[in-house]
Amino acid sequence: MENRTTAGAASASPSPTYGSYLRLPEILAAQTPLSDAHDEMLFIVIHQTSELWIKLCLHELGAACAAIAADNVPPALKMMSRVARIQSQLIQSWDVLATMTPADYSRMREKLGSSSGFQSHQYRLMEFVMGNKNARMIEVHEGTPDIKAMLQAGLERPGIYDLSIRLLATRGLPIPQEAIERDVTQPYAANPAVEAAWAIVYRDPERYWDLYELAEKLVDLEYRFQLWRFGHLKAIERIIGFKRGTGGTAGVPYLAAVVNQVFFPELLDVRKIL
């Protein structure tokens, strides 16, 4: 009996340490500058940590979408509030990146080759969840079938706003059938009937409190997403001015154009009629 116990203890897996649980050796070995520019480490760390924050956003938004689809709004509100706090971290990261000097960026830029943040599949998935659907954005991932399949699935899933509109219909609000059955692979277009349904919610928040809170959480997500985009625009403008971006993008003009994209138009338009 004693021998079996001793043998069992010897063969048991060791308790994880802080470093092993978080896989710190692998994470901290993942910063490999390609130039002698001092600021390249900053550039790498900002983008790597941003991808980790976006991964958490996708985790929370996926669960929020499932809760909304199941007419279980309270957990979705918690998850969306968490995403808003994560977005604050992402927004602040541009302030750190903006300390990068143009001279140091010029020393490392050629090492980036054709790589570009435009190729971030996680960012694209987040846009798809928010409803900014564009099948052409998948084409850049032709060479990575797994990622392309992931993006295609995201394109074909209803975004968080489509699910919210369907929830309004489930609750008996007057949502037209074409809004419920629309092709979710296409960008969302404003619908006056949907605006009228949200107006009912906004005019009687006590009766529709969870739907009212859901609408405001959606507005908060869009507000912070736009701040994130604007912060990106200003950081890049400060570092490279109006040069073309890496990967063939238009740089600052492209970023300026997407800042004005709207995800949930009726939730802004409804304020005009209240």
Side-chain angles (χ1 to χ4, degrees):
M1 182 72 172
E2 182 178 351
N3 289 339
R4 286 198 300 270
T5 304
T6 303
S11 62
S13 298
S15 177
T17 65
Y18 177 79
S20 66
Y21 175 70
L22 295 177
R23 306 289 295 273
L24 289 183
E26 295 92 334
I27 291 173
L28 296 178
Q31 296 75 46
T32 53
L34 300 178
S35 75
D36 61 354
H38 174 80
D39 284 6
E40 189 176 359
M41 180 63 76
L42 163 69
F43 188 85
I44 292 171
V45 169
I46 288 293
H47 286 85
Q48 287 182 341
T49 54
S50 293
E51 289 291 337
L52 287 172
W53 282 126
I54 297 171
K55 182 175 183 176
L56 184 54
C57 283
L58 292 171
H59 175 72
E60 298 295 338
L61 288 173
C65 285
I68 293 167
D71 195 354
N72 188 18
V73 175
L77 300 179
K78 174 186 175 182
M79 295 159 190
M80 293 166 74
S81 292
R82 181 173 292 160
V83 171
R85 300 302 178 273
I86 298 167
Q87 287 175 302
S88 294
Q89 296 292 326
L90 287 164
I91 293 164
Q92 290 175 1
S93 72
W94 296 129
D95 288 340
V96 183
L97 184 65
T99 66
M100 186 175 199
T101 66
D104 258 14
Y105 182 72
S106 295
R107 286 169 62 189
M108 59 163 278
R109 188 180 189 189
E110 67 175 23
K111 300 294 185 180
L112 298 177
S114 61
S115 65
S116 166
F118 187 76
Q119 299 160 352
S120 169
H121 73 278
Q122 288 200 125
Y123 173 79
R124 196 62 58 200
L125 279 172
M126 191 164 173
E127 283 213 323
F128 285 178
V129 174
M130 296 282 283
N132 187 24
K133 303 290 186 72
N134 185 343
R136 290 184 58 196
M137 296 302 177
I138 302 177
E139 294 173 3
V140 69
H141 299 285
E142 289 288 347
T144 49
D146 290 348
I147 290 177
K148 182 183 177 183
M150 187 190 309
L151 287 168
Q152 186 65 38
L155 182 76
E156 295 172 2
R157 277 193 300 270
I160 195 167
Y161 193 53
D162 280 302
L163 292 169
S164 299
I165 291 171
R166 293 178 188 182
L167 179 58
L168 295 185
T170 299
R171 296 287 188 87
L173 289 157
I175 299 295
Q177 201 64 24
E178 67 267 17
I180 298 171
E181 298 177 352
R182 81 175 197 89
D183 181 357
V184 298
T185 67
Q186 298 301 311
Y188 183 81
N191 186 316
V194 173
E195 181 182 334
W198 281 120
I200 294 171
V201 172
Y202 271 83
R203 288 191 175 112
D204 195 355
E206 290 78 14
R207 180 180 177 184
Y208 301 104
W209 182 252
D210 63 340
L211 296 179
Y212 176 76
E213 280 289 289
L214 174 61
E216 285 299 288
K217 289 292 186 291
L218 288 166
V219 170
D220 197 33
L221 286 180
E222 175 162 337
Y223 170 71
R224 292 172 190 270
F225 205 98
Q226 301 294 37
L227 288 180
W228 180 24
R229 285 172 159 177
F230 183 74
H232 188 192
L233 163 67
K234 300 309 288 185
I236 299 305
E237 183 180 79
R238 177 170 177 166
I239 295 168
I240 70 170
F242 290 88
K243 293 179 183 176
R244 289 190 64 81
T246 55
T249 63
V252 168
Y254 168 78
L255 295 172
V258 299
V259 161
N260 295 320
Q261 290 177 345
V262 175
F263 296 113
F264 318 130
E266 292 91 353
L267 295 180
L268 299 179
D269 291 341
V270 72
R271 284 155 163 75
K272 301 174 186 175
I273 63 174
L274 294 178

